[in-house]
């Protein structure tokens, strides 16, 4: 076997592996999370598998137990069908009812056990005109 | 070349003053954003850095094409120095985004489409300089770098559109948000105007860095040529 052939074969193997990895990575990257609808439509596909679901926190479902550091809530897209989520961990500062979140974890008996809870920030920026506190006080409260 | 030196001297004063004025505006006169609070101020570094990154790599792209067409080394020098500045600002985008992401999302980094394609942009232009270093012949270096600069720039439309094409953790564009059929920023004017000012200031700063580095590059190449003649 000529040296050139070895290079061609080796190169093809490396290229093939890279291509396979990037296709897999690309699929994971382009769909960073599933929606509750997709998960509820095919529950068996998502059993015993670590997945991410992105949805809104359904208002009125949040239960935060500071003593055991346990957060329970429902996520939904349309307020019609929702998935119950439990998360053992500190509640993020930006976590609110109606807020977009991405949870990573597994479905266990119809309940999504989240290992990670990310808050999805909306592209809307607002200023509350009624709440113009003194800037000095605000900066002090940030530092402390 | 003289007018370039004059403009460098002017921008050396104007750009830092404008940046300082923007800092005052942002931290003293801009109201606090309701949802995020103080961390929202990071946007005034993050978004202008994005704009400069886009522009800097566009300049590299355009002058890459110009070089391949006319084969004048001056075009390659401009492409090179612009890519340098773009790389720094791209790093600033990634860092400021990570610092903002921790309190807002709850994580410094996720492998979503926006963040991954931005990191890819950074790595492509890191490779761009490795490529330049690895080629000895100046003409060859310019040719290879131009091609990579043109290809690398093609990642920018992907970065920009990633939040629309794919599901990402990163929010879609605020500045170009389409409301009622027209692009309208989803931000009150009190927050928007300082942002526009910061972009302007950062662009001035880019202009200063570009002019400065370009002249250094010209001088360096002239020196190399003079030395080469001396030796031969």
């Amino acid at each position: 076997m000529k040296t050139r052939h070895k290079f061609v074969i080796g190169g093809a193997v490396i290229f093939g592996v890279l291509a396979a990895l990037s296709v897999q990575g690309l699929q994971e990257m382009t769909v960073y999370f599933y929606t509750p609808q997709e998960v509820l439509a095919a529950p068996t596909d998502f059993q015993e598998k670590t997945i991410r679901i992105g949805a809104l926190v359904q208002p009125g479902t949040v239960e935060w137990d500071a003593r055991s550091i346990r957060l329970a809530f429902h996520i939904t897209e349309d307020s019609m069908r929702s998935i119950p989520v439990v998360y053992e961990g500190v509640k993020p500062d930006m976590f609110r009812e109606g807020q977009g979140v991405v949870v990573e974890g597994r479905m266990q008996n119809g309940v999504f056990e989240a290992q990670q809870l990310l808050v999805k920030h909306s592209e809307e920026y607002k200023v509350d005109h009624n709440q113009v506190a003194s800037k000095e006080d605000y900066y002090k409260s940030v530092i402390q | 070349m003289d007018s370039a030196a004059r403009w460098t001297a002017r921008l050396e004063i104007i750009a830092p003053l404008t940046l300082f004025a923007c800092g005052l505006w942002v931290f003293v006169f801009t109201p606090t954003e309701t949802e995020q609070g103080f961390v929202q101020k990071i946007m005034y570094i993050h978004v202008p850095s994005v704009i400069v990154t886009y522009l800097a790599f566009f300049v590299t792209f355009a002058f890459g094409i110009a070089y391949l067409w006319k084969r004048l080394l001056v075009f390659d020098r401009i492409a090179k120095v612009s890519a340098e500045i773009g790389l720094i600002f791209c790093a600033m985008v990634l860092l400021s985004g990570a610092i903002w992401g921790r309190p807002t999302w709850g994580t410094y980094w996720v492998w979503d489409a926006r963040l991954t394609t931005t990191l890819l942009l950074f790595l492509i232009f890191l490779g761009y300089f490795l490529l330049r270093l690895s080629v000895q012949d100046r003409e060859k270096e310019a040719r290879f770098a131009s091609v990579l600069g043109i290809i690398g720039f093609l990642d920018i439309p992907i970065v920009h559109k990633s939040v629309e094409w794919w599901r990402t953790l990163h929010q879609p564009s605020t500045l170009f948000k389409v409301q009622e059929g027209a692009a309208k920023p989803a931000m009150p004017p009190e927050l928007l105007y300082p942002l526009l000012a910061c972009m302007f200031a950062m662009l001035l700063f880019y202009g200063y860095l570009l002019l400065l580095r370009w002249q250094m590059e010209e001088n360096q190449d002239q020196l190399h040529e003079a030395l080469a003649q001396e030796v031969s």
Side-chain angles (χ1 to χ4, degrees):
Chain A
M1 198 191 261
K2 280 186 194 160
T3 322
R4 206 172 61 186
H5 287 143
K6 283 184 192 162
F7 271 110
V8 169
I9 292 166
V13 169
I14 292 170
F15 184 78
V17 170
L18 274 181
L21 281 175
S22 26
V23 166
Q24 201 189 359
L26 219 61
Q27 268 166 358
E28 209 169 293
M29 188 184 90
T30 52
V31 180
Y32 186 68
F33 51 79
Y34 296 102
T35 63
Q37 228 155 19
E38 287 165 348
V39 176
L40 290 170
T44 45
D45 290 357
F46 295 100
Q47 282 295 333
E48 304 296 313
K49 228 165 114 184
T50 301
I51 54 165
R52 280 185 290 257
I53 309 177
L56 302 174
V57 179
Q58 195 166 17
T61 61
V62 178
E63 286 169 40
W64 165 237
D65 187 356
R67 203 171 283 268
S68 59
I69 321 177
R70 188 173 180 280
L71 186 64
F73 55 95
H74 288 232
I75 49 172
T76 180
E77 288 160 285
D78 48 11
S79 306
M80 309 282 282
R81 298 201 298 173
S82 64
I83 299 176
V85 177
V86 289
Y87 173 65
E88 311 250 331
V90 179
K91 190 169 79 168
D93 286 345
M94 298 288 292
F95 185 88
R96 284 182 188 94
E97 291 188 348
Q99 177 87 42
V101 289
V102 175
V103 284
E104 186 180 296
R106 284 160 180 266
M107 285 300 280
Q108 300 279 9
N109 310 319
V111 177
F112 193 81
E113 289 184 7
Q115 275 115 45
Q116 198 185 23
L117 168 60
L118 300 175
V119 175
K120 199 173 183 317
H121 183 256
S122 98
E123 72 272 29
E124 311 262 347
Y125 288 74
K126 292 182 205 79
V127 171
D128 189 353
H129 293 279
N130 301 321
Q131 206 182 38
V132 186
S134 146
K135 206 137 249 166
E136 207 176 322
D137 291 347
Y138 181 73
Y139 283 178
K140 275 181 188 158
S141 75
V142 168
I143 293 162
Q144 277 155 10
Chain B
M1 205 60 199
D2 273 345
S3 73
R6 253 200 320 277
W7 271 105
T8 314
R10 276 180 207 154
L11 282 173
E12 194 165 48
I13 297 169
I14 298 169
L17 280 182
T18 319
L19 278 173
F20 180 73
C22 286
L24 271 186
W25 192 357
V26 166
F27 285 104
V28 183
F29 301 107
T30 302
T32 309
E33 206 268 339
T34 315
E35 303 258 304
Q36 303 173 50
F38 194 65
V39 270
Q40 185 262 331
K41 307 276 187 211
I42 294 171
M43 184 189 74
Y44 295 104
I45 293 276
H46 186 71
V47 177
S49 301
V50 172
I51 300 291
V52 172
T53 307
Y54 285 1
L55 176 71
F57 289 145
F58 175 73
V59 169
T60 301
F61 167 79
F63 279 90
I65 293 173
Y67 175 79
L68 291 179
W69 187 20
K70 296 283 183 192
R71 302 285 163 148
L72 294 174
L73 272 179
V74 60
F75 294 148
D76 182 61
R77 287 179 205 123
I78 296 174
K80 178 186 173 184
V81 296
S82 193
E84 277 178 10
I85 304 166
L87 191 66
I88 305 262
F89 276 89
C90 191
M92 264 169 44
V93 169
L94 291 167
L95 282 176
S96 60
I99 294 167
W100 176 85
R102 185 70 187 88
T104 316
W105 294 334
T107 180
Y108 289 109
W109 185 264
V110 289
W111 293 101
D112 83 344
R114 171 53 79 79
L115 277 65
T116 310
T117 50
T118 312
L119 182 67
L120 186 68
L121 184 69
F122 180 79
L123 293 176
I124 288 171
F125 279 93
L126 203 64
Y128 175 89
F129 289 103
L130 292 178
L131 177 70
R132 277 185 177 279
L133 285 173
S134 68
V135 183
Q136 292 298 320
D137 182 57
R138 187 65 186 85
E139 303 277 340
K140 215 177 187 181
E141 178 195 328
R143 208 163 64 234
F144 289 178
S146 297
V147 173
L148 186 56
I150 292 164
I151 296 170
F153 172 77
L154 300 180
D155 188 34
I156 286 187
I158 301 174
V159 170
H160 191 72
K161 284 285 171 189
S162 59
V163 286
E164 289 170 33
W165 291 343
W166 302 304
R167 285 180 201 161
T168 54
L169 181 65
H170 193 289
Q171 68 273 20
S173 174
T174 299
L175 281 177
F176 305 105
K177 187 179 165 73
V178 178
Q179 292 166 312
E180 292 148 12
K184 188 168 166 278
M187 185 182 278
E190 302 95 302
L191 299 179
L192 179 65
Y193 292 149
L195 178 62
L196 296 176
C198 287
M199 286 179 184
F200 177 70
M202 214 64 113
L203 287 172
L204 282 181
F205 190 46
Y206 164 75
Y208 165 66
L209 291 174
L210 186 77
L211 281 175
L212 186 71
R213 271 297 286 125
W214 174 47
Q215 289 169 85
M216 285 165 72
E217 204 63 22
E218 288 286 342
N219 291 341
Q220 196 184 339
D221 274 12
Q222 274 173 17
L223 191 65
H224 278 304
E225 269 171 42
L227 281 173
Q229 274 174 6
E230 196 86 349
V231 170
S232 64

